[in-house]
Amino acid sequence: MIHLKSDREIERIRSSCRIAAETMACVMEYVKPGVTTGELDRIADRFIRRQGATSSAKGYQTAGRPPYPGAICISVNDEVVHGIPGPRVLQSGDILAIDIAVRKKGYHGDMNVTMAAGQPGPDAARLMHTTKQAMELGLLASVSGNRLGDIGHAIQGYVEAEGFAIVREYCGHGIGRSFHEEPQILHYGRPGTDRRLQSGMVFTVEPMVNQGSAAVRELDDGWTAVTADGRLSAQFEHTLVVTDEGPQVLSRFDDLPF
Ligand code: MF3
Ligand code: CO
C-alpha cells in the first residue's frame, strides 16, 4: 500500500531533508584530496546528531546483509552505491557519491550528490552532469496522473542517448515513517506503464549511471556495489512530493547549491 502523506507529514519530511542537505553542505567543505572517507563519515555523524536527528543508514538492516556500519554512504569512482566509509584516502580527480539520509520526529529525508575531489577529468565531469540531468528529468516527470513508467522512461531515454547506462539493481523508494516504503521507483521503463502517480506520494528519484556497462557486482562487505567493468559510476538523489501543482522537491532549498 502507498501511504499518501498529509501536509503535516510532508513538513516533517521536509525538515529531515533540510538536515540532510545541511549535512551535505557541511561534509562537502571537507571533500578534497588527502581526506579519508571515514573522516567524512565522522563529520557527518556529528553534524546529524547535533541537529537532534539520527542517521537513517546507521544500523540499517535488510534481508541478507549485515547492519550498515556508516552514518552515510560514500561511493568512490567504480563504486555504484552503498560504499562504506573507511580508511580510503581520496585522490585528486576521484568522484564520490555522498548519500545522506536522516530521521527526526519520526520522518526520514534522503538525498545524494556526486562531486569530485580536486578537478575531475572531462569524462567524469560529463558523467556527473548527465546523471544530475537524468535525476532532474525524473523529478520533472513526477506529475500527478503520469505513471511510474514515465519517470523511468524519461531517465533511461536520456541516459542512453548520452551513451551511458542506467543501473537496474537499485531503485528510488517511497519514504516517510519508514526509510524505504512503497512504491519502488525504477530508473528505467516504458511510458504509460505501471502505477499512476497521485498527489501526496512522497518518494526519491536516485538514478545510478555507469560510464560503461550497466552490470554491477557486490563486494564481500555485504554492501558495496561496484561496476562489473571497473569504470566510473555516478548518482544523484532528491526526495519529492507529488502535488496538484506539480512535483515539489523536498530536499532542495534556495540557499543550498544542490
Ligand atoms: N539512498 C540510499 C537508499 O535509499 C541509501 C541507503 S543507506 C543504507 O538506498 F543503509 F541502506 F546503505
Ligand atoms: Co534513497
Side-chain angles (χ1 to χ4, degrees):
M1 205 209 54
I2 300 181
H3 172 63
L4 301 178
K5 270 73 176 182
S6 68
D7 289 350
R8 184 181 142 280
E9 293 185 288
I10 290 165
E11 289 321 310
R12 291 212 171 167
I13 295 167
R14 196 197 307 275
S15 297
S16 290
C17 286
R18 174 77 203 178
I19 294 169
E22 288 179 359
T23 307
M24 185 69 75
C26 168
V27 171
M28 277 175 82
E29 291 192 36
Y30 294 88
V31 171
K32 43 172 123 21
V35 75
T36 69
T37 55
E39 281 160 359
L40 297 176
D41 189 65
R42 279 191 293 281
I43 290 163
D45 196 24
R46 229 180 290 127
F47 189 95
I48 291 165
R49 282 188 285 104
R50 237 188 279 130
Q51 317 305 311
T54 54
S55 156
S56 308
K58 187 162 250 171
Y60 183 79
Q61 294 230 41
T62 180
R65 299 184 196 276
Y68 185 76
I72 61 177
C73 301
I74 304 181
S75 306
V76 183
N77 292 342
D78 63 320
E79 293 174 355
V80 174
V81 73
H82 301 157
I84 299 175
R88 181 176 188 155
V89 179
L90 294 180
Q91 310 293 314
S92 182
D94 281 352
I95 63 167
L96 59 156
I98 299 188
D99 197 313
I100 303 180
V102 310
R103 179 168 73 157
K104 186 167 177 175
K105 294 190 175 164
Y107 287 86
H108 297 263
D110 191 3
M111 67 178 304
N112 181 321
V113 176
T114 297
M115 66 205 75
Q119 203 51 39
D123 292 349
R126 191 171 81 84
L127 176 67
M128 289 192 286
H129 174 80
T130 302
T131 309
K132 173 103 187 319
Q133 285 306 114
M135 174 197 65
E136 300 293 350
L137 291 173
L139 300 173
L140 286 170
S142 301
V143 170
S144 149
N146 263 5
R147 291 178 182 274
L148 287 176
D150 296 314
I151 300 176
H153 177 73
I155 293 170
Q156 181 186 14
Y158 172 70
V159 165
E160 293 178 352
E162 291 295 318
F164 295 132
I166 193 83
V167 172
R168 307 290 203 277
E169 285 82 353
Y170 307 91
C171 57
H173 49 93
I175 182 167
R177 278 200 172 277
S178 305
F179 184 15
H180 296 120
E181 48 188 62
E182 284 187 64
Q184 291 197 356
I185 309 297
L186 302 184
H187 303 115
Y188 59 93
R190 282 182 296 118
T193 64
D194 212 329
R195 206 190 288 250
R196 208 179 276 284
L197 299 178
Q198 271 176 280
S199 188
M201 284 184 183
V202 177
F203 54 80
T204 71
V205 174
E206 49 181 306
M208 285 134 277
V209 175
N210 290 357
Q211 193 178 32
S213 127
V216 302
R217 66 185 174 86
E218 286 190 12
L219 301 186
D220 290 340
D221 64 19
W223 281 100
T224 313
V226 298
T227 58
D229 61 10
R231 297 185 72 194
L232 299 176
S233 187
Q235 182 178 25
F236 283 83
E237 173 179 24
H238 270 304
T239 297
L240 73 91
V241 58
V242 176
T243 80
D244 291 334
E245 288 79 47
Q248 201 184 96
V249 182
L250 297 173
S251 46
R252 181 174 280 156
F253 302 90
D254 286 343
D255 59 329
L256 293 172
F258 26 78

